Amino acid sequence: AGILASSSDGKFSSIVPGVTLNVLQAQTAPVTISVQSSTTKLVAGVQAFVDDYNSLRQGIETLTAFNAETGRGSLLSGDGTVLRLESDLNRLLSGRFFGVGSVQALGTLGISFNDDGTLSLDTEKLRTQFANDPAAVEEFFTKDEIGFSDKLDKLLDQLVGEDSSLLVSRLDTRNRKIALNEQRIEFLNARLEVFREQTTLKFVRLEEAISKIQNNLASINGIAALPPLE
């Protein structure tokens, strides 16, 4: 019932799907090999996603913060694009995924929202769920079209993709506004230059007029009174 296999470099990767066996030396006695699943990469990957999302949340809070004492907001306070991005992400992360098997929500895998909007990961709950039904966990993340990974990719493409995404459209609008403002500034600077030249000319003419008046006054003051006739 055994399987005969050979390899020129001692590496066997097609005998058991997903398992690569490296043979280091020959052995005459039978060798028993045990293969067990590991959650190390799974937990690390999910934790990295949680950390990245929390970093995004921190950036959003910083850029949209409002100081009630000074009455001043931050750069993106009340910005509709940021609100849309935040809302769409929250809806996906807190929603249910139908058609992907027994695991249909991130909460089932230990990923939950905190009161401040950040995410937290219960690693033991994730490991337990994977140990009980690894296929269901894999299907939740990887099923085409309706799995979490595909849906997240599609949403991110709509929000921040290179072509016609929400942020690209917003950036284009901002750039057009900046270009219009620059044109407006150039127009106003040109008008100010004309006004400066006109004002300078008026000032020079006024100085000339004052100088003439002063000369006339000096001439008038220089006229002496005639002595009376005897």
Side-chain angles (χ1 to χ4, degrees):
I3 299 175
L4 181 63
S6 63
S7 173
S8 59
D9 59 359
K11 179 181 291 185
F12 299 84
S13 57
S14 59
I15 299 176
V16 179
V19 176
T20 298
L21 174 65
N22 291 315
V23 178
L24 303 179
Q25 63 182 15
Q27 181 73 0
T28 58
V31 176
T32 300
I33 300 174
S34 299
V35 179
Q36 298 178 344
S37 61
S38 173
T39 60
T40 302
K41 290 185 177 180
L42 172 64
V43 172
V46 175
Q47 185 64 61
F49 167 76
V50 170
D51 293 340
D52 288 343
Y53 178 80
N54 289 342
S55 296
L56 174 64
R57 283 286 314 169
Q58 183 178 3
I60 290 176
E61 288 183 3
T62 300
L63 293 173
T64 59
F66 181 80
N67 191 321
E69 295 181 357
T70 62
R72 299 185 62 180
S74 300
L75 179 63
L76 298 177
S77 295
D79 186 272
T81 301
V82 177
L83 296 176
R84 162 79 184 282
L85 183 148
E86 187 177 14
S87 175
D88 287 356
L89 281 175
N90 288 345
R91 188 180 302 109
L92 176 70
L93 299 181
S94 61
R96 299 188 66 84
F97 296 77
F98 298 100
V100 293
S102 58
V103 178
Q104 297 184 348
L106 290 173
T108 307
L109 301 176
I111 304 172
S112 59
F113 277 99
N114 300 314
D115 293 338
D116 60 357
T118 59
L119 291 177
S120 61
L121 172 63
D122 184 340
T123 56
E124 290 303 317
K125 188 173 183 179
L126 176 59
R127 289 191 178 98
T128 300
Q129 186 65 40
F130 184 78
N132 293 336
D133 195 347
V137 176
E138 179 181 359
E139 186 176 19
F140 172 80
F141 282 113
T142 63
K143 190 166 185 178
D144 292 341
E145 301 296 331
I146 58 176
F148 177 76
S149 295
D150 269 10
K151 283 197 170 184
L152 179 61
D153 284 342
K154 290 177 182 177
L155 178 60
L156 292 179
D157 189 57
Q158 293 173 5
L159 296 176
V160 297
E162 295 181 0
D163 300 320
S164 302
S165 66
L166 178 66
L167 290 188
V168 168
S169 298
R170 180 63 169 166
L171 181 61
D172 289 343
T173 301
R174 289 275 185 175
N175 288 337
R176 287 194 296 270
K177 187 174 182 179
I178 291 173
L180 290 174
N181 287 339
E182 289 176 346
Q183 293 176 4
R184 180 67 175 171
I185 290 172
E186 292 178 0
F187 173 75
L188 292 176
N189 284 336
R191 291 194 60 181
L192 286 174
E193 181 62 23
V194 172
F195 179 75
R196 186 188 68 81
E197 292 177 355
Q198 292 175 345
T199 303
T200 302
L201 180 60
K202 290 179 180 179
F203 178 79
V204 170
R205 290 177 177 175
L206 181 60
E207 285 289 319
E208 292 175 349
I210 293 174
S211 178
K212 290 180 180 180
I213 293 173
Q214 289 175 342
N215 291 334
N216 292 335
L217 288 176
S219 298
I220 294 173
N221 291 331
I223 300 175
L226 295 174
L229 296 174
E230 294 180 356

